[in-house]
Amino acid sequence: SSSELQCALCPDGLRAVRRAELSWTGLRGEVALRQLSAALTSARPASLPLLRTAHQHRSEVGSKVMAEGGVVEEKKTLMAEGGTWPTPSDPGETSPTEEPGKSSPRRSFRLNYRHEEEVTHSRRDSSGRFVNPWPTWQFPSYATVMRLFLMEKNHSNVPSSKEVNIPVSGRCCRQVLDKELPELEPYFVQNPEQCGRVGSSLRVTWLGHATVLLEMDGLVVLTDPMFSQRASPVPFAGPKRYRGPACTVAQLPRVDAVVISHTHYDHLDSSSVAALNSRFGAELRWFVPLGLLDWMRKTGCENVIELDWWEENCVPGHDDVTFVCTPAQHWCKRTPLDDNRTLWGSWSVLGPNSRFFFAGDTGYCSVFEEIGKRFGPFDLAAIPIGAYLPRGIMKSQHVDPEEAVQIHIDVQAKHSLAIHWGTFALAYEYYLEPPVRVRDAMVAHGLNPSQFFTLNHGESRLLAQEEDVQ
């Protein structure tokens, strides 16, 4: 019990045990065991047998605690022994008894991986702007950006998507795009009731660019929703899609949660956010990186959880699925003066049957090995493969296909879906090149190319547990 351990532990060790007790009330047992293991390192020698006994006891009774309403009993026990219990008034905390449908911008009381010394923490400069903490981040000057964009040749060669009779090798441009990058109607448009019914399996649907509909462990999750024609603050200028969204917001099935990676217009689209909020309201939970809460509220969203790197939370009523904001190497900007005022990140979604990693938008860095070490293996990762030329501009912020395969390896993904290509002409590589280079890189690593796959716009794939993709 905590009272026995209190006599044996130093203050840091006691806090670790209390954090471990709390985690039984709202998270997987493996996390509590990890915390108790950490407590061993802070214990006095005489306490080690006692802690090991507690470790064994927790592993045996954890499921029983959850089944028998352990939240209330743990709270009473901890308070009686002089412990503290997080309440909604505590900064950065969420009550463990939060009612489904209730909104709260506060972070979960669950395990905070930032307490681990070896993880890469988010950082700010002296002006309060977030910075990338890796030596791989070397963003070019604006003069270099202009010079490279003006001098480098644009090899994208995307056929016009307009329905006009311009011949390209004997066919009109629209026919070329329809053949090379087909647009399919997602299965859920005609059968929305089937969405979410995947049992212990996982199903993913690519809706274009970085927008993915994920079904796993009873939840339906949407990533970086982008349903507009342009990635721009205005509707008449800016990058335009050459492949439309696979469906409209009105055609979506139920969605339980949305994860946002960062604030660039091709990943955070105000019209799409407003449309989703209008349709689903406070029932839809939004997970966003640090600093984005105010923007989401101004857009009308109520049920928003703002997280720093390595913090986590869940969807009310689905405590067995954990959403962790994990690092990425990128940057944020929406206006001339808001450079890096908000954080960027990737997302790890951890369920009892499946694990999903969403890389968002990123350059390559060492953090993906950290993510794989803590949360891998992942059943599926969604990894960007496009918008990588000119390399002198893009290297720090966008992985190329070879680096995308390295992320696949680092996070220990069983399968990966290629995203961030085939939708917007954002860079200078040939528009059909990225998947070819991904396949070549997989072969070069001695891996099965089918494990890093592409989907047509609107196409779905079901990944059954312990089965290879057919």
Side-chain angles (χ1 to χ4, degrees):
S1 70
S2 292
S3 57
E4 293 174 299
L5 291 172
Q6 186 171 3
C7 299
L9 293 177
C10 63
D12 288 342
L14 179 59
R15 282 194 291 270
V17 171
R18 284 175 177 164
R19 285 199 304 271
E21 285 188 321
L22 293 180
S23 68
W24 274 115
T25 67
L27 194 53
R28 304 173 310 282
E30 64 187 46
V31 172
L33 296 181
R34 190 185 305 128
Q35 290 179 314
L36 279 173
S37 296
L40 284 168
T41 64
S42 302
R44 298 185 182 120
S47 71
L48 295 182
L50 182 59
L51 270 171
R52 291 192 182 102
T53 300
H55 188 289
Q56 181 180 3
H57 175 67
R58 286 294 180 184
S59 65
E60 294 172 351
V61 306
S63 57
K64 184 177 179 181
V65 170
M66 293 297 294
E68 297 179 357
V71 171
V72 175
E73 294 304 317
E74 285 282 342
K75 178 177 179 180
K76 290 179 180 178
T77 302
L78 187 60
M79 294 300 289
E81 294 170 355
T84 59
W85 185 266
T87 67
S89 60
D90 295 330
E93 306 294 342
T94 301
S95 168
T97 55
E98 181 182 39
E99 298 178 10
K102 296 288 186 179
S103 62
S104 172
R106 303 186 185 278
R107 292 180 284 279
S108 170
F109 64 81
R110 302 180 188 190
L111 182 62
N112 185 343
Y113 290 90
R114 295 176 306 161
H115 292 172
E116 300 183 16
E117 292 183 359
E118 67 271 23
V119 301
T120 301
H121 304 264
S122 64
R123 300 177 190 173
R124 301 178 193 247
D125 62 17
S126 58
S127 65
R129 300 176 190 270
F130 290 99
V131 297
N132 283 287
W134 305 279
T136 45
W137 176 257
Q138 296 176 351
F139 197 73
S141 67
Y142 285 110
T144 300
V145 171
M146 291 298 296
R147 178 176 58 82
L148 288 175
F149 266 127
L150 290 174
M151 296 181 64
E152 294 279 336
K153 181 176 174 55
N154 187 345
H155 298 280
S156 59
N157 295 328
V158 179
S160 171
S161 62
K162 297 179 180 178
E163 295 192 27
V164 294
N165 222 2
I166 303 175
V168 177
S169 301
R171 296 172 293 171
C172 72
C173 297
R174 182 73 184 194
Q175 289 174 333
V176 172
L177 283 172
D178 287 344
K179 179 180 184 299
E180 300 292 352
L181 297 171
E183 295 176 341
L184 309 179
E185 181 180 81
Y187 82 91
F188 53 73
V189 172
Q190 299 298 326
N191 301 286
E193 72 285 350
Q194 294 183 12
C195 191
R197 297 181 179 179
V198 293
S200 61
S201 300
L202 177 154
R203 180 160 52 205
V204 61
T205 305
W206 188 44
L207 302 181
H209 201 52
T211 306
V212 167
L213 188 83
L214 173 75
E215 304 163 57
M216 60 170 274
D217 290 306
L219 286 177
V220 180
V221 181
L222 196 62
T223 68
D224 284 358
M226 176 54 172
F227 294 91
S228 295
Q229 289 299 318
R230 290 188 185 273
S232 171
V234 294
F236 53 84
K240 187 177 182 180
R241 308 178 79 114
Y242 57 87
R243 293 277 81 182
C247 67
T248 65
V249 170
Q251 292 174 313
L252 288 171
R254 95 166 196 271
V255 178
D256 300 297
V258 176
V259 295
I260 301 294
S261 64
H262 66 294
T263 65
H264 288 157
Y265 286 95
D266 57 324
H267 293 258
L268 180 63
D269 176 58
S270 59
S271 296
S272 299
V273 171
L276 285 163
N277 184 57
S278 176
R279 180 173 173 197
F280 296 107
E283 295 300 314
L284 179 61
R285 171 152 285 194
W286 299 81
F287 294 98
V288 302
L290 204 60
L292 195 48
L293 176 63
D294 287 344
W295 187 94
M296 298 296 297
R297 282 179 163 173
K298 290 176 182 176
T299 310
C301 301
E302 302 175 26
N303 191 355
V304 183
I305 298 295
E306 178 188 71
L307 299 175
D308 197 352
W309 290 348
W310 307 107
E311 288 183 335
E312 60 182 51
N313 209 289
C314 65
V315 174
H318 296 270
D319 287 352
D320 57 344
V321 180
T322 304
F323 290 73
V324 187
C325 182
T326 39
Q329 180 175 285
H330 205 59
W331 61 298
C332 286
K333 184 179 179 68
R334 288 181 75 83
T335 70
L337 301 177
D338 72 344
D339 300 49
N340 298 336
R341 289 297 184 186
T342 60
L343 189 59
W344 50 90
S346 57
W347 290 92
S348 298
V349 184
L350 315 174
N353 297 306
S354 301
R355 294 192 170 206
F356 171 70
F357 176 68
F358 174 60
D361 212 353
T362 185
Y364 181 76
C365 64
S366 59
V367 78
F368 299 107
E369 292 184 86
E370 294 181 26
I371 295 169
K373 177 183 176 182
R374 278 155 189 79
F375 302 132
F378 289 92
D379 299 281
L380 176 68
I383 302 174
I385 67 168
Y388 49 83
L389 291 181
R391 210 71 196 114
I393 299 173
M394 298 297 186
K395 183 172 178 59
S396 289
Q397 56 183 313
H398 289 164
V399 293
D400 62 19
E402 291 74 23
E403 291 168 330
V405 169
Q406 190 59 54
I407 292 177
H408 167 85
I409 296 170
D410 289 351
V411 301
Q412 305 173 37
K414 298 177 184 177
H415 304 90
S416 289
L417 167 65
I419 62 170
H420 203 266
W421 78 283
T423 309
F424 291 96
L426 300 175
Y428 281 7
E429 73 271 6
Y430 178 52
Y431 79 109
L432 295 177
E433 179 185 88
V436 177
R437 287 180 55 175
V438 166
R439 180 180 180 85
D440 291 346
M442 290 289 285
V443 171
H445 281 280
L447 301 173
N448 184 348
S450 67
Q451 292 175 344
F452 200 136
F453 60 91
T454 61
L455 293 174
N456 294 319
H457 291 75
E459 186 180 7
S460 301
R461 180 163 296 189
L462 181 69
L463 301 178
Q465 283 294 327
E466 304 302 327
E467 291 185 12
D468 293 331
V469 177
Q470 300 297 319

